[in-house]
Amino acid sequence: MPNVRFPAPDLMLTLALLALVAGCGRGPLDHSGPLAEWPEYGGDAGGERFSPLTQITPANVRHLEVAWIYHTGDVSDGRGEVRSTTAFEATPIVVDGTMFVCTPFNRVIALDPETGDEQWVFDPEVDLTGGYANQLVCRGLTTWKDPDPTVQTCGRRIFTATNDGRLIALDAATGERCPDFADSGEVDLTVGVGETLWLGEYQVTSPPAVAGDLVIVGSAVADNTRTDAPTGAIRAYDVRSGSLAWAWDLAPPFDIPDAPRAAETGYMLATPNVWAPFAVDQDRDLLFVPTGNPVPDYYGGHRQGIDYYGSSVVTVRASTGEVLWHFQTVHHDLWDFDVPAQPTLTYLERDGERIPAVIQATKMGLLFTFDRETGEPVWPIEERPVPQSSVPGEQTAATQPFPVKPPPLVPHELSPEDAWGMTPSDRGDCREKLEGLHFEGVYTPPALNRPTLMYPGNAGGSNWGGVAVHPDRQLLVANVMDMAWVVSLLPTEDYDQARRDNPGVEISPQYGTPYAMRREMLMSKWELPCSPPPWGTLAAVDLTTGDIRWQVPLGTIRDLAPVPIMWNLGVPSLGGPLVTASGVIFIGGTMDNYIRAFDLENGLELWRARLPAGGQATPMTYRLREDGRQFVVIAAGGHGRAGTTLGDAIVAFALPDG
C-alpha cells in the first residue's frame, strides 16, 4: 500500500469544530439549485454515480433526518420455506417522477419518491425454494422509453432480470407485463445455456443494460462446482419484441478442440460470465463488459485458453456484439479475482483536452484506466513477475499487470509480524496462523494440501459497489476492503471426508478437475480479522495526477465485536459510494448498520445515521420540484452471508423543510 497519510486526531477535531461553527443555525431550506432524477442503476448509463444536486452540502448535511421508510416484506435467513438467504443490494431508480425498486425476491415495486407511498407491485413469482448460489439478490432495474409519444401501453418499460433466469418487461405506468415482449412479457434465459444441475446454479443478480433499442443481460453462474457449468453468454434482445438480436458466449477467438457446448445453441460452456453491471456509452454505441473468470476458480489446468476474455474489461459494439478491444486485468485467474464492478465512464482533463475514459476497479485494489475509444492505458501498465504454481497440471501466468498509477488502494503484503488481535493472546494466535501459511505476495497461487494466504482476498479490494466520480473536481471515490483469506487445494477423493470433518467451512468439489477447494477468512479467536485494521477504507483519488488525495477508515466494529464498541477501526463494506456536485459523499455498505456522509475534499465524516438493518447497497439521490427537497435513499436489508442485520427497509433522508 502507498504511504497514505491518514488525518491526525487533532486535525480531525479541528475540522469537526470548524464544520460545527460553519453549520450553526439551520436556517430556511435553500430551494435554489438544480433538479435531477436517478434514471440508471449507476446514476447514468456510464456508472459515474454522480448527482448534480446541491441542496445538501457539507455545511448542512448534519441536519438530515428520516423522511420516509417503506418495508418490502421480502427477507429470508434461509432457515424457513425460503432456502436461500437474502441480500438487499438494490439501488432504486427514479424516472418520470416515480421510484422503481426490486427486492431480493425479484418483486418490482413503484413508489412515490417524496412520500414512499406504494403505487403498484409486480411479483414474478420466483421459485424461492431453489438453492441460489449467489443468495437471493436483485441489484437494480433498467428502463427504456419509446420515442413515439403516441404509444400508450408500455410507452416506458421497466426491465428486470430474475434469480431464476428470466428477463421481464413491465409497463412503468401499471406494473403489468408488456404483452408484445417475447412470450407474454418475458424471455426464459435458461434456454440454450446448457444443463443446470439445480435451480439457482444459473441466475441474474445485476440489472440489464439498455443500449439503443436493445436490452442486454449477463448472468451469475455458480463458482467452483464443475468444469462444464452453464455458459456465461451475454445476450441482447429487442426492447419491443424481445427477439434475440445477438449473443456472445465469451469463447476465445480461436478453436478449442472438444470444448463442451450447449446442445441447442452451440454456446461454449464454462466460459467467463458477466455477473456485475455493464456500462454503456450511448453516443459511441459502446458496451463495456466486466467479465468473471472461467469456472472453477482455483484450478485452471483444463482451460486450454478458455479464459482469454476472463477477468477482463471488454469493449463491445453495443448494436452488434462485435468485440472492439479488451484488457485482461488478471492473466489465468486462480484467485477468484474476477472483475467485480461496473466500469465507470467519465472524462479526464489533460492539458486542456478531455479524454473519454473508462476506469475499472478490481478486487486487487487496483484501478485500471483506459481511453474508452482505443483501449490505450491513460497511465502505463507494467507486466511484473509473480509467484508460480507447484500444483501438478497447472500453468501459472509468468507475469501480471500492474498500473503505475493510481497506486494500490489496499496493501499487497502481510507478514506474521503484522498480525493483529484484541488481546496479546489473540494476536499471538493470529501470528501463529500466519506463520503456517504459504505466501509469496499478491498472486501467490493455491497449493496442494497446504493452506495459502490470499491477500487481498477474493472479496476485494473493490467489489460490486464500484466507484464514484466527481467530474468537475476530477476526484474518484472508492470504498475498499482489506481482508485476508486462506485457500487450499485437496485431492478430489478427499472432498467428501473434508466436508464431513469441517462443517460450516466452504469446501467445493471443482468437478472435472483433480482438486477440490477449501476457502475461509483468516480470523482471530474473537472472530475479527487477523490482518491489521483498517479492514475497510474510503479513498479519494486525484484523476489529474493519479495520486491518492486522502484515505480514511470506514465504519466501526459496533455490530461485529462481542461487545458493541463504537471503535472506528474501519470494517468491510458491500455497496458503493455516491457523490454530489456540492462535494458530499454518501455511503452505506459497512458491517455496522449506518449510512454516512463525508466531505469530498478531505475525507472528514460529516454525518451518520443508524439504519434498521445492514445497508449493503449503494445509495442514490434525487430532487423533483423547484420547491422540493433533495432526498437520499438507501436499501437497508442486510446481507445474509456477510452476517449483517437482515431486514426489508427502503429509507429516505432529507433536510427539514423550514
Side-chain angles (χ1 to χ4, degrees):
M1 189 173 184
N3 185 21
V4 178
R5 291 180 60 86
F6 290 88
D10 56 342
L11 174 59
M12 295 287 283
L13 179 60
T14 301
L15 291 172
L17 290 173
L18 288 174
L20 182 62
V21 172
C24 280
R26 206 160 56 202
L29 184 62
D30 184 0
H31 286 292
S32 64
L35 307 179
E37 296 189 316
W38 190 268
E40 300 268 3
Y41 166 80
D44 60 21
E48 210 169 33
R49 290 173 184 79
F50 170 79
S51 171
L53 296 180
T54 57
Q55 188 180 85
I56 301 171
T57 69
N60 65 24
V61 67
R62 65 192 179 90
H63 296 299
L64 284 178
E65 61 184 20
V66 174
W68 56 262
I69 299 178
Y70 176 88
H71 291 279
T72 71
D74 292 357
V75 61
S76 168
D77 62 6
R79 293 183 290 185
E81 293 182 4
V82 181
R83 290 177 50 203
S84 299
T85 55
T86 51
F88 198 6
E89 299 177 356
T91 298
I93 60 174
V94 172
V95 288
D96 297 343
T98 301
M99 175 181 289
F100 303 93
V101 65
C102 59
T103 76
F105 294 174
N106 289 123
R107 292 196 308 145
V108 180
I109 301 171
L111 302 174
D112 184 313
E114 297 195 322
T115 65
D117 292 339
E118 183 183 295
Q119 297 182 351
W120 55 255
V121 177
F122 168 78
D123 187 354
E125 298 181 346
V126 169
D127 186 344
L128 301 177
T129 64
Y132 292 97
N134 297 280
Q135 304 185 89
L136 287 163
V137 175
C138 180
R139 295 191 183 95
L141 309 164
T142 194
T143 182
W144 174 82
K145 188 171 184 178
D146 197 311
D148 184 353
T150 64
V151 174
Q152 297 299 314
T153 301
C154 292
R156 177 175 288 283
R157 299 181 181 219
I158 301 296
F159 290 101
T160 183
T162 65
N163 287 289
D164 59 0
R166 290 177 285 160
L167 174 65
I168 302 174
L170 303 176
D171 188 333
T174 65
E176 299 293 326
R177 295 171 183 264
C178 295
D180 57 348
F181 184 81
D183 183 8
S184 301
E186 72 175 50
V187 174
D188 184 350
L189 298 173
T190 65
V191 174
V193 301
E195 181 185 3
T196 54
L197 296 185
W198 75 91
L199 177 61
E201 183 182 20
Y202 179 98
Q203 60 187 123
V204 185
T205 55
S206 290
V210 166
D213 289 345
L214 299 177
V215 55
I216 306 167
V217 64
S219 61
V221 179
D223 288 342
N224 301 313
T225 301
R226 55 190 178 118
T227 57
D228 57 349
T231 180
I234 59 176
R235 287 168 284 180
Y237 298 89
D238 185 280
V239 292
R240 296 179 180 87
S241 68
S243 60
L244 182 66
W246 57 260
W248 176 44
D249 63 0
L250 280 75
F254 48 80
D255 183 50
I256 298 180
D258 303 321
R261 295 183 177 273
E264 292 179 77
T265 57
Y267 299 157
M268 188 178 288
L269 300 181
T271 52
N273 59 74
V274 183
W275 60 268
F278 302 101
V280 178
D281 184 332
Q282 300 281 7
D283 295 335
R284 293 176 173 84
D285 188 26
L286 299 177
L287 177 74
F288 295 87
V289 180
T291 72
N293 53 284
V295 293
D297 293 334
Y298 294 99
Y299 178 77
H302 61 287
R303 292 179 187 167
Q304 303 182 66
I306 199 173
D307 47 4
Y308 182 87
Y309 290 115
S311 302
S312 300
V313 185
V314 185
T315 303
V316 170
R317 181 71 64 199
S319 57
T320 65
E322 174 194 4
V323 176
L324 301 177
W325 63 263
H326 87 285
F327 180 86
Q328 193 169 58
T329 61
V330 183
H331 306 318
H332 194 68
D333 190 347
L334 299 175
W335 304 270
D336 194 14
F337 279 164
D338 49 358
V339 179
Q342 182 179 31
T344 300
L345 308 186
T346 190
Y347 285 90
L348 303 185
E349 305 292 342
R350 291 287 187 281
D351 302 322
E353 181 184 359
R354 297 179 81 226
I355 300 173
V358 53
I359 303 172
Q360 185 61 66
T362 68
K363 290 182 176 180
M364 302 82 72
L366 301 174
L367 297 173
F368 292 89
T369 309
F370 308 94
D371 184 309
R372 72 177 90 142
E373 294 179 330
T374 66
E376 289 297 315
V378 172
W379 285 287
I381 298 172
E382 298 177 347
E383 290 285 340
R384 300 175 187 170
V386 292
Q388 296 299 291
S389 176
S390 61
V391 174
E394 188 57 88
Q395 298 254 335
T396 325
T399 63
Q400 294 292 349
F402 291 82
V404 172
K405 284 192 171 185
L409 300 182
V410 296
H412 283 177
E413 296 290 339
L414 182 64
S415 71
E417 290 70 33
D418 298 322
W420 185 88
M422 291 283 284
T423 66
S425 172
D426 204 32
R427 185 182 178 196
D429 175 59
C430 282
R431 185 187 300 112
E432 184 176 335
K433 288 178 178 177
L434 280 166
E435 288 171 345
L437 298 177
H438 171 225
F439 185 63
E440 301 175 62
V442 64
Y443 297 116
T444 301
L448 182 59
N449 291 323
R450 182 183 180 190
T452 298
L453 175 66
M454 279 189 59
Y455 191 69
N458 64 291
S462 291
N463 210 288
W464 53 262
V467 302
V469 173
H470 194 301
D472 300 326
R473 302 192 195 184
Q474 290 285 281
L475 288 174
L476 174 147
V477 179
N479 59 305
V480 291
M481 293 178 279
D482 179 8
M483 302 284 289
W485 289 70
V486 180
V487 172
S488 57
L489 298 177
L490 56 150
T492 298
E493 56 267 24
D494 296 342
Y495 167 70
D496 291 333
Q497 187 63 48
R499 286 287 303 270
R500 287 191 292 269
D501 292 345
N502 299 277
V505 176
E506 181 186 9
I507 302 175
S508 300
Q510 301 193 139
Y511 291 130
T513 79
Y515 311 109
M517 177 278 296
R518 172 173 174 159
R519 179 172 63 183
E520 55 195 315
M521 292 176 62
L522 181 60
M523 303 292 281
S524 74
K525 295 176 182 177
W526 282 48
E527 292 300 308
L528 289 172
C530 282
S531 53
W535 304 303
T537 61
L538 187 69
V541 175
D542 188 326
L543 294 177
T544 62
T545 65
D547 298 324
I548 297 176
R549 173 79 66 87
W550 52 258
Q551 191 160 10
V552 297
L554 177 62
T556 72
I557 62 170
R558 169 175 174 166
D559 297 306
L560 290 178
V563 179
I565 307 170
M566 290 294 287
W567 193 359
N568 192 35
L569 290 180
V571 296
S573 60
L574 287 170
L578 150 72
V579 64
T580 69
S582 61
V584 180
I585 303 163
F586 290 100
I587 187 165
T590 54
M591 301 296 109
D592 60 351
N593 301 336
Y594 286 95
I595 181 173
R596 292 174 167 85
F598 292 83
D599 191 315
L600 176 63
E601 289 301 315
N602 51 41
L604 177 68
E605 184 178 313
L606 303 172
W607 168 83
R608 76 175 74 162
R610 188 76 169 160
L611 296 171
Q616 280 66 61
T618 303
M620 48 82 76
T621 188
Y622 53 90
R623 180 170 173 247
L624 306 181
R625 295 181 290 109
E626 293 288 352
D627 60 346
R629 295 189 288 173
Q630 178 184 348
F631 294 84
V632 175
V633 174
I634 188 168
H639 190 285
R641 289 184 182 167
T644 57
T645 306
L646 294 180
D648 65 345
I650 302 168
V651 186
F653 298 89
L655 294 171
D657 196 357

